[in-house]
Amino acid sequence: MKAYRPSARHIPELNGLRVLLVFIVSWYHIWQQSWWTPHVGSYSLDFLVRAGYVPVDGTILLSGFLLFLPHARAMLLGEPVPETRAFYQRRLMRIVPSYVFVTLLMLFAVALPYDLYHGSAASLWKDVLMHLTFTQTFDFSTYIATPIGVASWTVAIEMQAYLIFPLLARWARRNPLGTLSAMAAVALLFRSCVVWGMKDYNMVVNQLINFLDVYAMGMAASLLYVKLTTLYPADKRRFLWQAAATAAVIAAFWGLTELLRDQAGSSGQAAIQAGQMIRRPFFAALLALLTLSLPFAVRPIRFLAGNRLMGFLAAISMNYYLMHQNIAVHLKRIGFPPSVNELPNMAAGGPERPWVYQYTALCFGLSILVAIAITYLVEKPCAWALKRGFDRLNQRTDARRAASARQE
């Protein structure tokens, strides 16, 4: 049996990490509608759902890590530098079909039938236009008060980051320390100014500039990870590496739990958002440690994080994320499942039972089923069609360039 060796190209363990982060965020959004605090025996998970919005930062760190991974291989392993054109085309194929479908689905199946724009055509067109251009984070009505998908702001941030990522990656290849330090410094300076100079953080807490240090940590972790794969021993010393990595996984989970407990203790919208921004670099650092250590940990941990089920769930995770909050809110809007109380989440003595169990299970179950449908009926067919179009476009472009070069 061939000894295990971490790969600098394929890291299945990160599928499990992505699934865990998205699951916690979705649980938070469902909890916002149900107010059901889960327990494992006598152990309360209140802190986990109450601060469940924080792991969004982890998905952004994973994005920075995975986006920079080919560049890290180019720097340390001598592989070709990724082509910018191919980068943009892959991002469009991955993001745009599902995102546009979900946006239009929410518009025509929910917002218009239920008159959620209250007859204002201007608000409707503004919301749709800003969503389709990934600029909804710049306006309160399209970012926080939108009826066509509040959770989509994360995808907008990612698309905004994709626009500048090839430039950041080029600078980082030339001067990694200077580039990543500058990204972190810009984010920390911005965060310091808004935390101490503002009282309302709704429109600044989740802007791209406020995540630059998270992206930088992900990119730095990518470089370090590729380096570690080249140092990983083939002899019995690998068991020492696995033991150390397993200890790092445990330490990272413990640290993340404590940070979430601290964040859950914040009271009031401004204090919650200020605490989130202040703790953001510490949370990102622990997520970076977890990202680095999972692929080197002992086999049972690697299996839990990197099995086929996690790979499948990771594949549908974006569509699950886009739909889960919409489903949770709409089920409450139409009063399904039925309940005895008009406001079952605010019933005397706590959320109404069995409504809360039925509602929570329905939110998770429907979100998974709808995500599967969107992935295999919309995302993948559209990505295939876009790839064919891009291939033809690339062939014509390359042919014109070749003809122009011959003429010169």
Side-chain angles (χ1 to χ4, degrees):
M1 181 176 177
K2 188 176 179 181
Y4 168 77
R5 186 173 190 86
S7 170
R9 182 175 297 276
H10 180 60
I11 315 173
E13 293 80 11
L14 299 189
N15 289 332
L17 181 56
R18 181 184 298 279
V19 169
L20 177 63
L21 294 170
V22 171
F23 171 74
I24 294 173
V25 175
S26 68
W27 202 355
Y28 163 72
H29 287 141
I30 293 169
W31 169 82
Q32 282 185 308
Q33 304 301 321
S34 70
W35 297 119
W36 174 47
T37 299
H39 292 75
V40 178
S42 60
Y43 185 76
S44 174
L45 295 176
D46 177 72
F47 75 94
L48 187 63
V49 291
R50 193 173 294 277
Y53 49 88
V54 175
V56 169
D57 295 14
T59 64
I60 289 175
L61 182 132
L62 275 181
S63 177
F65 179 94
L66 294 171
L67 290 176
F68 196 69
L69 193 61
H71 298 271
R73 293 198 302 266
M75 294 169 65
L76 298 174
L77 303 181
E79 293 188 7
V81 173
E83 184 185 12
T84 300
R85 179 179 66 180
F87 169 80
Y88 284 129
Q89 291 175 354
R90 284 195 300 270
R91 294 301 91 203
L92 289 174
M93 288 187 291
R94 176 71 175 94
I95 299 295
V96 171
S98 296
Y99 178 86
V100 171
F101 174 80
V102 170
T103 299
L104 297 180
L105 175 67
M106 290 302 300
L107 175 66
F108 289 108
V110 177
L112 291 178
Y114 288 86
D115 192 26
L116 299 183
Y117 291 107
H118 308 292
S120 173
S123 297
L124 185 159
W125 285 110
K126 176 183 178 181
D127 200 16
V128 173
L129 179 62
M130 294 189 75
H131 269 78
L132 294 182
T133 55
F134 302 98
T135 56
Q136 68 265 38
T137 56
F138 303 138
D139 188 279
F140 182 91
S141 64
T142 60
Y143 165 42
I144 294 175
T146 175
I148 56 175
V150 176
S152 65
W153 71 265
T154 311
V155 180
I157 292 297
E158 290 279 34
M159 288 296 283
Q160 294 166 24
Y162 296 156
L163 286 176
I164 63 173
F165 182 80
L167 182 61
L168 295 175
R170 184 188 309 166
W171 290 344
R173 290 196 308 269
R174 295 174 180 174
N175 182 1
L177 181 60
T179 301
L180 300 181
S181 297
M183 290 172 63
V186 169
L188 292 173
L189 179 61
F190 174 81
R191 201 172 297 144
S192 299
C193 290
V194 300
V195 167
W196 301 114
M198 299 176 66
K199 294 182 179 179
D200 185 341
Y201 308 117
N202 280 321
M203 294 305 299
V204 296
V205 63
N206 288 325
Q207 295 296 341
L208 175 59
I209 191 173
N210 218 333
F211 287 110
L212 284 179
D213 55 338
V214 180
Y215 279 109
M217 287 192 199
M219 294 164 69
S222 186
L223 266 174
L224 182 55
Y225 173 77
V226 173
K227 183 63 177 179
L228 289 174
T229 61
T230 66
L231 299 176
Y232 188 77
D235 57 21
K236 291 184 178 181
R237 289 178 299 167
R238 67 181 183 275
F239 297 116
L240 295 177
W241 277 61
Q242 292 179 10
T246 301
V249 168
I250 295 171
F253 270 115
W254 176 83
L256 291 168
T257 299
E258 292 305 306
L259 275 179
L260 288 172
R261 287 186 186 279
D262 289 343
Q263 180 63 29
S266 301
S267 179
Q269 183 75 355
I272 289 172
Q273 293 175 335
Q276 182 182 3
M277 288 188 284
I278 291 169
R279 295 180 180 93
R280 178 164 284 164
F282 303 104
F283 186 84
L286 287 169
L287 252 298
L289 176 61
L290 191 56
T291 301
L292 280 170
S293 55
L294 271 174
F296 296 95
V298 293
R299 185 175 181 180
I301 291 178
R302 298 199 312 269
F303 174 78
L304 285 174
N307 59 62
R308 290 184 179 181
L309 175 60
M310 291 302 170
F312 170 76
L313 293 175
I316 67 169
S317 62
M318 184 188 76
N319 297 319
Y320 173 86
Y321 181 81
L322 285 173
M323 287 303 304
H324 77 275
Q325 190 175 28
N326 295 321
I327 288 173
V329 171
H330 193 60
L331 286 177
K332 285 282 294 295
R333 181 182 291 119
I334 64 176
F336 190 81
S339 59
V340 174
N341 295 276
E342 183 178 357
L343 298 173
N345 59 320
M346 302 177 67
E352 178 188 319
R353 300 173 184 178
W355 173 86
V356 71
Y357 304 127
Q358 296 172 351
Y359 173 79
T360 301
L362 198 58
C363 287
F364 281 118
L366 277 179
S367 298
I368 291 174
L369 291 176
V370 173
I372 293 171
I374 294 174
T375 300
Y376 291 99
L377 299 179
V378 178
E379 178 190 322
K380 291 188 179 296
C382 289
W384 177 81
L386 284 172
K387 185 179 187 305
R388 292 191 65 184
F390 285 140
D391 287 344
R392 288 195 292 266
L393 177 63
N394 294 340
Q395 290 172 1
R396 290 196 293 267
T397 302
D398 293 341
R400 284 196 298 267
R401 288 177 179 174
S404 176
R406 286 195 297 269
Q407 291 174 0
E408 293 176 356

